Amino acid sequence: MLKLHKLSQSIRRTLPAIAATSGLIFVSQSILAQDTDQTDKPNLEKIVVTGSRGAPRSLADSPVPVDVFTESDLVSVPFSDTNDILKTLVPSYSLTRQPISDGASFIRPASLRGMPTDKTLVLVNSKRRHRSALVQIGGSGTQGPDVATIPASALKAVEVLRDGAAAQYGSDAIAGVINFVLKDNDEGGSFSLNTGQFYEGDGEQITMTGNMGFALGDKGFFSLSGEYSDTKSTSRSVQYCTGNACLDPNNDNYLGGGRFDNTLSGYSDETYVAGLSTANLGGESVVQPWGQPNNSAVRLFFNSGYEISDSMKFYAFGNYSESEGDGSFYYRYPGNGTIENLRTEDGGLYSPLEKFPGGFTPRFFGDITDMSILSGLEGEFSNGMTYDFSGRFGSNEIQYTLKNTINPSMGPDSPTSFRPGDLINEELQFSADFVQIIDMGMENEVLFAFGLTYMEESYELVGNDVDSYAAGPYSLGDPWGFCDNDVATAAGLAVIANGSTLDCADSSDAVYTAVGVGSNGFPGYSPEYSGKYERDMAGIYIDVSTDVSDALFVQGALRYEDYSDFGSELVGKVAFKYSLTDDFNLRGSMGTGFRAPTPGQQGTTNVSTRLPNGFPVATGLFPAISPVGQALGAEALRPETSVNYSIGFTGNVDDLNITLDFYSIALEDRFYAVSTLAVSTDTTSGEAYNNFLALDAAGVDGANTIGGVNYFQNAFDTTTSGFDFVATYTMGDTLLTGSVNYNSTEIDTNIDVVSEYLNGEDQFDLENALPEWRGVLSAKHDFDMLTLLVRANVYGAYENATNSAGTNIQEYDASVLFDVEVNYQVSDSLSVSAGARNILDTYPDEDEGDMCCGAIYWSANIVDWQGGYYYARLNYSF
């Protein structure tokens, strides 16, 4: 066995500090130690940060805030998606439902302490988790790991470090670190079946999960976990109705600007209404549903370890998952710029209504494949230094399909199904980590943790389908040369002679109509915007910690990273814990951070439908370094830097445990998508026309049909500040837990400078759209074989701007959503549960102007707007 008595004792004394600062021990890395009662079977002593029933949730002995959630905590949350579990347990972790947002419909963006996803580092067994292939196309433009690919059935615990830790872990750990600890059982297993649906009668879900442990001889283990889930869509919508097209017969504007007459080759209002039943796939009752998409997934995760010798252990873990989802885009009504009359080559009229008589709603499909493999060796050298050598590879790929739509510029030759392209993100990393305890003549020994790492990452956009990006003949007016200065040409006269209604003198004649390029809703990746973006990074760090006295613990860390595309940066951190008494501690930290924009954020391209003024507009997102971005005035991207401060205290009074931590995160050169810039071919539209000229000069196909454009920039500085309060109280068979987060973000940059990048709406929403107060209060009581859990999810008031100037403001009241679950332990192995999320069927305030097109609620609201959900669950362990 490893001779680590002295090391083990020292680690036990300084564990909470190292858990927050060293990638070696933050999760359940195995420290092998002698056992005075050792039998023939080797004893593996786990030095872990863990919890048990009645134990404090937030660690009191750590110099920085660390929450620990055990397997039983995770099981008690009535969600299968690990994202939703974290949202329920951690108040400062927020999550939005974005039903009409391209890939964000399937990979949801989250935030910790008000910071976007890419400011939080995600680890599995203390090793960095690879990013997803999705770059969010608006706002913070985040690209982070897809937490949903980690099935809850594979988890032994989750540890959440709520403090900047870039000096220990590197880029991304500005807001904190979330560490997923995998199960390591060598025998037994479990099975769970969960099913339910929303009160509205939709969103049916079934989830089956399982885990089995296998012994590898008497010196190792192999734990395999799997999950299958199938979730149906929801719709919290009314029939589409805007000033241009209203399909609600009870509204005075019924049909509105969508009304058309028999000049359209025999189509009339009657055939328009009759065709609405075919406007969607999937049997939706409204032409544009708002809600969660259909989604199904199969996920596998394994964790393994084997003791090679008394001083060396091999470990490996990895995953493979496949998921698919589909949802709707914005409804296209006749006359909306996509469904228009076109003059065909024979001089006749064509309308997309021949393919979709009632207009159409594009259906978007995403097939996501995620896989990873990591292995390593850990142990101890003869001088007592421990080591951990590891290598990992991770890949996430999204394959997009678009159905029930057209490439308008192809006219009657357009197909109705497309494969616009794939996104692929890959990472390869090698790391070496070491720990050495040195006696330096001080009162206590000093622990040195140090290491180095090398990582290669790439992001690739792959175009698959020429029709999805082709510029057909109808991308320009008069493609067949029928007219010349309002006069029919010879070709025009020929088709008139054959009975065409062509009238070159009529500026509204269909001959002059130009329509959009590419599969409508999500144009494909053309060769100009396909390609691979690559970079590499090398880093080195050192972490030193010791007990200066019985009362004072201090630690410090430095990290140097060098990026092939952004140069180098040195960041650091110091932290302390001072014991005022045996039960009360004072703690604090100060650190700097650094986050380089990812290859995906540098290279992603997208044309999608957005709502810059509450009205659907085709909007193009282009890389800042592309010819288009440069033509529009974009600057090359820069890294974000941060300074974090934290101060707090922890205390125990009998069975009451409390932690209170104040924090401030100053983020410079914040990465953000500039507000949508208008594009117009109207020569009198000023800057909008200049933007069109820039797109046209850069060679953008269909520039004349794009209504808006944007790009990512390091646009401004912000300061995010707040506090976290966590309390647990054990009262006999009752466990009470309360956690509250207050969080506020302010833009520090001069308003005139910020306004060059963000309009009034985006500025206001950045500071006000999230509730400043968020809390989770729960009570769990055991009645022998019966357990009752009641949880209150509290959201404070918040505001949202509903016009681009930021002058129209909607105020949202505070909300409280209650969850209730009853669990009955049938036997030692079998339990059944039943309960309801949001049992009182509470909804946030309805939207008053930010949304359109049939939406009832503000879709970006972090307060859930799906309503009540009831469920039943069976758990079996063996």
Side-chain angles (χ1 to χ4, degrees):
M1 305 300 293
L2 294 180
K3 299 177 181 179
L4 297 181
H5 275 134
K6 189 174 183 181
L7 174 61
S8 180
Q9 292 169 2
S10 179
I11 288 179
R12 285 186 181 280
R13 184 177 65 250
T14 59
L15 174 62
I18 303 170
T21 60
S22 172
L24 298 174
I25 306 173
F26 180 34
V27 289
S28 57
Q29 293 294 322
S30 299
I31 301 296
L32 309 180
Q34 280 188 327
D35 188 337
T36 55
D37 297 324
Q38 181 177 334
T39 62
D40 291 338
K41 183 177 181 179
N43 177 65
L44 304 183
E45 181 185 0
K46 290 286 186 181
I47 307 299
V48 298
V49 179
T50 187
S52 59
R53 184 184 179 280
R57 190 195 86 172
S58 189
L59 298 181
D61 290 332
S62 170
V64 291
V66 179
D67 286 334
V68 179
F69 302 100
T70 66
E71 184 179 353
S72 62
D73 294 325
L74 305 178
V75 170
S76 69
V77 178
F79 284 100
S80 59
D81 189 321
T82 305
N83 263 313
D84 290 306
I85 293 174
L86 287 175
K87 177 196 71 174
T88 303
L89 293 174
V90 183
S92 59
Y93 187 90
S94 61
L95 190 69
T96 60
R97 167 70 63 191
Q98 298 191 7
I100 302 181
S101 188
D102 296 337
S105 300
F106 314 126
I107 300 177
R108 292 179 292 164
S111 68
L112 183 69
R113 282 187 163 179
M115 294 279 101
T117 304
D118 55 5
K119 310 301 187 293
T120 299
L121 179 61
V122 175
L123 306 176
V124 175
N125 280 1
S126 88
K127 307 298 183 182
R128 178 185 286 266
R129 180 72 173 163
H130 62 274
R131 299 183 182 94
S132 77
L134 177 69
V135 178
Q136 307 290 338
I137 59 175
S140 297
T142 61
Q143 183 191 8
D146 183 4
V147 171
T149 61
I150 306 173
S153 61
L155 299 177
K156 179 180 180 180
V158 176
E159 300 160 341
V160 181
L161 165 62
R162 294 176 278 107
D163 192 57
Q168 293 79 32
Y169 296 100
S171 182
D172 301 349
I174 289 177
V177 181
I178 301 176
N179 192 37
F180 296 94
V181 184
L182 299 177
K183 291 179 179 178
D184 56 4
N185 51 310
D186 60 4
E187 62 181 3
S190 61
F191 173 79
S192 176
L193 174 64
N194 190 327
T195 184
Q197 69 174 24
F198 287 94
Y199 289 7
E200 293 289 331
D202 56 9
E204 301 91 340
Q205 177 175 319
I206 183 169
T207 304
M208 293 182 288
T209 64
N211 167 267
M212 288 192 68
F214 305 89
L216 301 178
D218 58 356
K219 295 185 178 182
F221 72 92
F222 182 89
S223 181
L224 178 65
S225 302
E227 175 183 280
Y228 167 78
S229 66
D230 185 72
T231 303
K232 302 303 182 184
S233 64
T234 62
S235 177
R236 304 294 176 265
S237 326
V238 295
Q239 192 58 278
Y240 191 102
C241 190
T242 69
N244 293 297
C246 184
L247 308 182
D248 180 1
N250 298 316
N251 191 291
D252 292 339
N253 294 322
Y254 179 49
L255 291 180
R259 183 180 296 275
F260 53 93
D261 56 35
N262 290 327
T263 61
L264 206 92
S265 302
Y267 284 93
S268 64
D269 291 341
E270 288 73 21
T271 55
Y272 178 22
V273 175
L276 291 180
S277 61
T278 63
N280 279 277
L281 298 178
E284 298 286 356
S285 60
V286 295
V287 296
Q288 185 175 313
W290 293 84
Q292 71 181 22
N294 296 305
N295 190 275
S296 62
V298 176
R299 300 186 173 105
L300 295 173
F301 232 110
F302 81 91
N303 187 28
S304 63
Y306 189 83
E307 183 185 351
I308 298 173
S309 68
D310 289 349
S311 60
M312 181 181 294
K313 175 189 173 184
F314 169 82
Y315 63 89
F317 57 88
N319 82 290
Y320 181 84
S321 74
E322 291 185 352
S323 63
E324 57 183 20
D326 65 274
S328 294
F329 279 175
Y330 289 99
Y331 167 63
R332 272 66 171 168
Y333 53 85
N336 73 332
T338 298
I339 302 179
E340 300 285 351
N341 283 349
L342 302 173
R343 282 288 177 194
T344 57
E345 191 173 9
D346 63 1
L349 285 176
Y350 164 78
S351 168
L353 293 174
E354 295 181 17
K355 298 181 185 293
F356 301 103
F360 63 91
T361 304
R363 294 286 295 182
F364 191 53
F365 297 77
D367 294 312
I368 304 171
T369 302
D370 186 276
M371 64 84 62
S372 67
I373 183 69
L374 184 146
S375 63
L377 292 172
E378 62 179 9
E380 180 184 2
F381 295 123
S382 59
N383 64 354
M385 177 186 293
T386 65
Y387 62 85
D388 183 349
F389 300 103
S390 65
R392 72 174 181 90
F393 173 78
S395 172
N396 185 273
E397 179 177 357
I398 307 175
Q399 297 181 344
Y400 288 134
T401 301
L402 195 61
K403 298 182 179 180
N404 209 60
T405 188
I406 56 173
N407 179 337
S409 69
M410 295 179 67
D413 296 327
S414 173
T416 59
S417 179
F418 304 85
R419 280 278 287 112
D422 305 337
L423 304 176
I424 305 172
N425 191 86
E426 294 183 345
E427 298 176 20
L428 177 68
Q429 184 176 19
F430 298 98
S431 299
D433 301 288
F434 307 91
V435 174
Q436 177 73 67
I437 292 181
I438 300 177
D439 188 346
M440 301 182 65
M442 303 172 63
E443 181 173 343
N444 292 288
E445 296 166 317
V446 179
L447 187 145
F448 287 85
F450 59 97
L452 60 157
T453 188
Y454 173 79
M455 182 168 67
E456 296 178 349
E457 50 186 324
S458 66
Y459 184 83
E460 187 173 7
L461 298 93
V462 181
N464 295 304
D465 184 351
V466 174
D467 288 341
S468 70
Y469 59 80
Y474 301 100
S475 62
L476 300 172
D478 194 15
W480 312 114
F482 291 152
C483 301
D484 182 15
N485 293 324
D486 300 339
V487 178
T489 63
L493 292 173
V495 295
I496 291 174
N498 288 328
S500 172
T501 58
L502 172 68
D503 183 358
C504 292
D506 182 0
S507 62
S508 64
D509 190 279
V511 72
Y512 297 115
T513 300
V515 288
V517 171
S519 45
N520 189 250
F522 193 104
Y525 301 120
S526 65
E528 292 80 5
Y529 296 104
S530 299
K532 197 170 188 177
Y533 298 80
E534 300 176 289
R535 76 158 173 225
D536 58 74
M537 179 276 292
I540 185 170
Y541 74 91
I542 183 170
D543 187 330
V544 182
S545 58
T546 189
D547 289 303
V548 177
S549 66
D550 290 341
L552 179 62
F553 175 87
V554 296
Q555 58 183 348
L558 290 173
R559 188 179 191 98
Y560 175 84
E561 289 186 342
D562 183 70
Y563 288 81
S564 60
D565 52 355
F566 286 107
S568 59
E569 185 79 7
L570 178 68
V571 295
K573 179 176 180 177
V574 294
F576 77 93
K577 176 181 71 71
Y578 184 78
S579 299
L580 301 171
T581 68
D582 290 343
D583 295 316
F584 289 89
N585 300 319
L586 182 68
R587 63 187 182 186
S589 68
M590 190 279 285
T592 58
F594 171 85
R595 195 199 72 83
T598 69
Q601 291 172 325
Q602 297 178 65
T604 192
T605 301
N606 180 276
V607 177
S608 60
T609 304
R610 306 189 66 191
L611 300 174
N613 287 289
F615 185 79
V617 173
T619 304
L621 172 71
F622 297 95
I625 58 175
S626 70
V628 177
Q630 294 294 293
L632 292 168
E635 298 177 358
L637 299 177
R638 304 185 301 276
E640 298 169 292
T641 58
S642 66
V643 179
N644 293 53
Y645 299 94
S646 177
I647 188 74
F649 77 91
T650 69
N652 294 284
V653 180
D654 297 327
D655 293 322
L656 174 66
N657 171 269
I658 58 174
T659 65
L660 176 63
D661 296 278
F662 296 87
Y663 61 86
S664 175
I665 308 171
L667 187 60
E668 294 186 3
D669 292 327
R670 184 161 179 167
F671 185 88
Y672 219 78
V674 303
S675 297
T676 301
L677 306 174
V679 177
S680 175
T681 57
D682 182 356
T683 57
T684 65
S685 60
E687 194 61 34
Y689 181 65
N690 292 334
N691 292 332
F692 160 70
L693 294 178
L695 293 179
D696 189 57
V700 177
D701 288 332
N704 56 316
T705 62
I706 292 178
V709 68
N710 66 348
Y711 48 85
F712 293 130
Q713 281 288 269
N714 300 96
F716 48 86
D717 304 335
T718 62
T719 297
T720 299
S721 56
F723 66 82
D724 289 305
F725 175 77
V726 180
T728 58
Y729 181 64
T730 305
M731 187 171 56
D733 292 325
T734 303
L735 176 64
L736 303 177
T737 303
S739 51
V740 176
N741 171 254
Y742 172 82
N743 191 86
S744 177
T745 295
E746 294 184 358
I747 298 175
D748 297 332
T749 306
N750 181 280
I751 186 67
D752 293 331
V753 175
V754 177
S755 297
E756 295 178 9
Y757 302 102
L758 299 185
N759 61 27
E761 179 181 16
D762 288 341
Q763 292 180 47
F764 184 90
D765 288 348
L766 177 65
E767 295 183 325
N768 300 280
L770 293 177
E772 292 184 337
W773 291 93
R774 169 87 166 91
V776 179
L777 311 174
S778 66
K780 185 177 182 180
H781 183 79
D782 286 340
F783 302 90
D784 295 327
M785 304 297 286
L786 192 69
T787 301
L788 174 65
L789 173 67
V790 179
R791 179 186 296 113
N793 302 282
V794 183
Y795 299 87
Y798 51 105
E799 297 176 309
N800 174 47
T802 61
N803 68 330
S804 60
T807 54
N808 295 336
I809 307 300
Q810 179 175 356
E811 298 180 357
Y812 287 84
D813 293 332
S815 302
V816 182
L817 281 60
F818 290 95
D819 303 336
V820 176
E821 177 177 294
V822 177
N823 176 272
Y824 182 71
Q825 195 72 35
V826 180
S827 66
D828 291 342
S829 301
L830 179 65
S831 68
V832 293
S833 306
R837 303 194 309 250
N838 189 6
I839 192 170
L840 300 181
D841 199 27
T842 301
Y843 286 85
D845 297 338
E846 294 186 3
D847 175 72
E848 295 178 357
D850 195 50
M851 305 299 296
C852 77
C853 318
I856 300 175
Y857 304 99
W858 178 35
S859 65
N861 202 329
I862 73 165
V863 180
D864 186 75
W865 43 273
Q866 304 297 308
Y869 177 92
Y870 56 87
Y871 63 91
R873 182 173 63 240
L874 179 148
N875 293 316
Y876 179 73
S877 59
F878 54 92

